Amino acid sequence: MAARLNALPRTRSGSLLLGAVGIALALLLWQLAPALGLVDSDNLPGASAVLSELASLAGTDAFWSAVGSTLAGAGLGLAIAVVAGVALGVLMGSSTIAWHALRPTVEFLRPVPGVALIPVAILVFGPSMQSDVFLVAFGCVWVMLIQTLYGVRDVDEVALQTARSYGLTHAQRIRWVQLPSSLPYIATGLRISSSIALIVAVTAELVAGNAGLGKSISLAQSVGQTEEMYALIVAAGILGIAVHVVFGGLERRFLHWHQSQRAGGDR
Amino acid sequence: MLEVVGLSKSYGTGASATHAVQCLEFAVEELEFVGIVGPSGAGKTTLLKCMAGLLAPTSGQTLLRGKPVTGPPPELAVVFQDYSRSLFAWMTVRRNVLLPLTNKPEIRDPARVADEALAAVGLKGFEEHYPWQLSGGMQQRVAIARALAYQPKVLLMDEPFASVDAQTRAELEDLVLRVREQFGVTIVLVTHDIDEAVYMSDRVVILSRPPSTVQEILPIDLPRPRDQVDTKALPEFASLRARIYEAIMQPAAAAGV
Amino acid sequence: MTRSRLRWFSVEVGATAIIIALLWAYTSSNESYAVAPLGDVLEAFRATWLFEHVGSDVVPSLVRMTLGYAAAIAIGVAGGFLLGSSAVVNAVASPVVGFLRSIPAAALLPPAIVLFGIGGGTKVAVIAFVCCWPIMLNTSDGVRELDSTMLATARVYGIRGLQRFRLVVLPAVSPRIFAGMRTSLSIAILLLVTSEMIASTNGIGYFVFQAQQQFSVDDMWAGVLLLGLLGFTLNLAFGAVERRVLHWNARDDRSK
């Protein structure tokens, strides 16, 4: 029996089965905790109540427009961060002067928590999507910059010398050698930033009141719609998984031909 | 000293099982140097792991001084091929050698034993270095020093020189032959290099293609001490080498007769 | 210092000075209500944070974060070893852990307020709850990736039990633990600031948010500057600790 149980995770269907068991156990625990009085059901309703609330929310326009706002804010901010981060990364990675001139500023700004700028965003943009976009872009640009920088600097010397020996200009070398070989790094940056983008967007909505899932959650809380609040959080979690799956898949596609470069990144 | 008795190991069960080694039978005498060679995929490493007690055989057993080996015995040390993974990267060279000694209370002055072992492999002065600061050959010297300091009766070596360059390889071969006498240890060497097996061993065990059996046990009566130039120039060396080569390359023909 | 290094150092200092001067000039001449002259911001920073509000706002913030982060490390590492050492437990738990990790951190603040109120304990609990997942996932990956040759070496030399854990397994997994801790540190800062903005009566986040609500733009920017410095310093401190603990792992840094 124990041996058969231990053999399960080795096959794909076996680990799916065990995963399903895990989800079922977690849902059961969630259902039982308020039912047995471990927590107040006004504060934490059971799984069935929350999931049926989620199902009925999924039939409303308000829910989908909140999801849409969050995705649009995160997506636009991410797009800006990618363009700016890759451009700056290529500049700093291929020019020694730019690298030294900008390094101290970047090193200082990089660890600045993006959410510190929420009050600034409220002041400048008010509760609007622009403030989402601004905060997401600031939160994501540094990861994109650093990853691009790693990528550009990690270009194979031989490839670069080959390009030089064939008389490619500086711009051509960037376009045809440095940028393609840093694509896997950029894909990793994109995977990390996409998670950051969603977090920052939801946070900004929660605090600044921009339309989106975050605002809906805080609204549900303030009017005491506890079930709706938890249903929206579950939706946000599902959204988080979706983002992870999409950008993780994208990253794996690029890593495919670049496997030797990195074994097992962090997560 | 060390006996392999009817040892078989298969992976998996039923029809899909692969039989790595089958009914192996041979003995290693005290202070002997035995080389194990065989075609690639011949379960050499499986055999060594069973002998070390790292892998449970499917049937049969290994006896160390008459006692069955069920786990790694304290009188036994192993040097693995991949030094970068067998050395603990977070410890200095000296700490790497010292760590196993904490479990050997009979070694009363571990610090001195460790330093002597390091000196014997030519690493005096590198005690406080970290493995990554050393070349591949030097890292494998650390692994050898660690094994020697452990004061085993039997030393098992699994392709120990396969990951170093040819020059370093010759140096390490001679190093092992030298310290073997100094430390009085029985050695079993698994290798895919026939020259190496002949050059170093007293006897060579030749395994067949999988499922591997002992195809032949060949005594190597070349004079000792051996020398990279003189020994390898002997006509006997060439003929022993040729014999093993033929045994490995044409087992089907030999078996078919 | 060689001549070329001296030259590049002066480029760094010079360019940064120019950037600050441009910022100074821009903020001094800009009429927008959201922009405050850099000089005024620095003056507000001195007046507020050196050191009048340190005891009332900075210390509570740092205490909350430290407690939450420390709890997250303890839970994450312990859970990671549990998950990593059994393939069955890992397969059962990983979809649930993956889901909990995917919830955008701040979304858990409202339920935490519902469940625990707006006291300091709530912030500690939320930081601990959210930050433990990246550490747990990384630790469990590290445990499952433990090298078989390394473990065989430990076995051959009779290294087992607590000694094996302390001297072999834990150091081998530690680079992964630190990778998780680095991710969690930025989430901890984010949660701290956010929680203080929406549910607090003190703390740096609270102070910045209040300044904005009252349109005292100098104070707001001074608070943002402080949060920036805080993020910068914590990151620096983390890097120093990581370099010290993982000094033997230096080869990985060099290859980057």
Side-chain angles (χ1 to χ4, degrees), chain B residues 23-114:
Chain B
C23 277
L24 297 184
E25 196 100 31
F26 63 91
V28 180
E29 302 303 323
E30 180 123 32
L31 295 184
E32 198 182 14
F33 195 122
V34 170
I36 297 176
V37 297
S40 56
K44 298 185 291 269
T45 296
T46 300
L47 166 62
L48 186 118
K49 282 189 174 163
C50 288
M51 291 170 78
L54 287 169
L55 207 59
T58 313
S59 64
Q61 57 183 348
T62 307
L63 300 173
L64 178 61
R65 291 191 159 156
K67 277 189 302 186
V69 172
T70 50
E75 306 94 321
L76 182 144
V78 182
V79 172
F80 294 95
Q81 172 185 344
D82 200 340
Y83 42 80
S84 66
R85 290 152 62 191
S86 89
L87 291 180
F88 301 124
W90 45 93
M91 292 181 182
T92 60
V93 166
R94 179 182 274 128
R95 291 268 296 134
N96 259 290
V97 178
L98 272 173
L99 179 64
L101 304 187
T102 53
N103 297 318
K104 284 227 159 175
E106 66 270 28
I107 297 178
R108 267 182 305 202
D109 192 354
R112 191 178 52 83
V113 170

Side-chain angles (χ1 to χ4, degrees), chain B residues 53 85 90 102-103 130 132 146, chain C residues 147 158 163 167-168 247-248:
Chain B
R85 290 152 62 191
W90 45 93
T102 53
N103 297 318
Y130 282 88
W132 61 270
R146 178 171 63 185
Chain C
D147 187 83
Q163 195 187 26
L167 297 176
V168 178
H247 62 99
W248 53 271

Side-chain angles (χ1 to χ4, degrees), chain A residues 1-184:
Chain A
M1 181 61 206
R4 285 177 69 182
L5 188 64
N6 282 326
L8 271 181
R10 274 179 233 135
T11 60
R12 195 172 160 73
S13 55
S15 48
L16 281 177
L17 178 70
L18 288 174
V21 169
I23 294 172
L25 281 176
L27 287 175
L28 189 68
L29 189 71
W30 182 7
Q31 184 67 25
L32 287 181
L36 296 177
L38 296 176
V39 290
D40 189 344
S41 64
D42 288 341
N43 294 340
L44 178 59
S48 59
V50 170
L51 292 182
S52 66
E53 174 69 24
L54 180 60
S56 62
L57 272 181
T60 64
D61 289 342
F63 172 76
W64 291 108
S65 102
V67 171
S69 301
T70 300
L71 285 180
L76 271 174
L78 184 60
I80 294 172
V82 169
V83 172
V86 171
L88 264 175
V90 168
L91 177 69
M92 285 178 73
S94 55
S95 148
T96 322
I97 291 189
W99 159 255
H100 285 284
L102 296 177
R103 199 180 67 97
T105 309
V106 169
E107 290 283 323
F108 178 75
L109 286 178
R110 186 162 67 110
V112 170
V115 288
L117 292 173
I118 288 180
V120 177
I122 297 176
L123 205 55
V124 178
F125 302 110
S128 65
M129 191 193 283
Q130 279 132 298
S131 101
D132 253 20
V133 173
F134 164 76
L135 291 166
V136 169
F138 183 88
C140 297
V141 71
W142 310 111
V143 175
M144 292 310 306
L145 167 62
I146 297 298
Q147 285 294 325
T148 310
L149 202 58
Y150 278 154
V152 173
R153 301 207 128 198
D154 200 42
V155 167
D156 193 350
E157 265 307 304
V158 178
L160 213 54
Q161 277 160 10
T162 311
R164 228 175 253 137
S165 73
Y166 282 110
L168 265 66
T169 64
H170 192 77
Q172 282 173 323
R173 287 203 300 270
I174 290 177
R175 170 66 187 84
W176 297 111
V177 182
Q178 293 185 313
L179 209 53
S181 71
S182 50
L183 270 182

Side-chain angles (χ1 to χ4, degrees), chain B residues 226-241:
Chain B
R226 297 193 180 156
D227 180 276
Q228 290 285 354
V229 178
D230 296 344
T231 305
K232 288 184 175 172
L234 294 171
E236 297 91 323
F237 183 90
S239 68
L240 284 165
R241 182 175 177 276

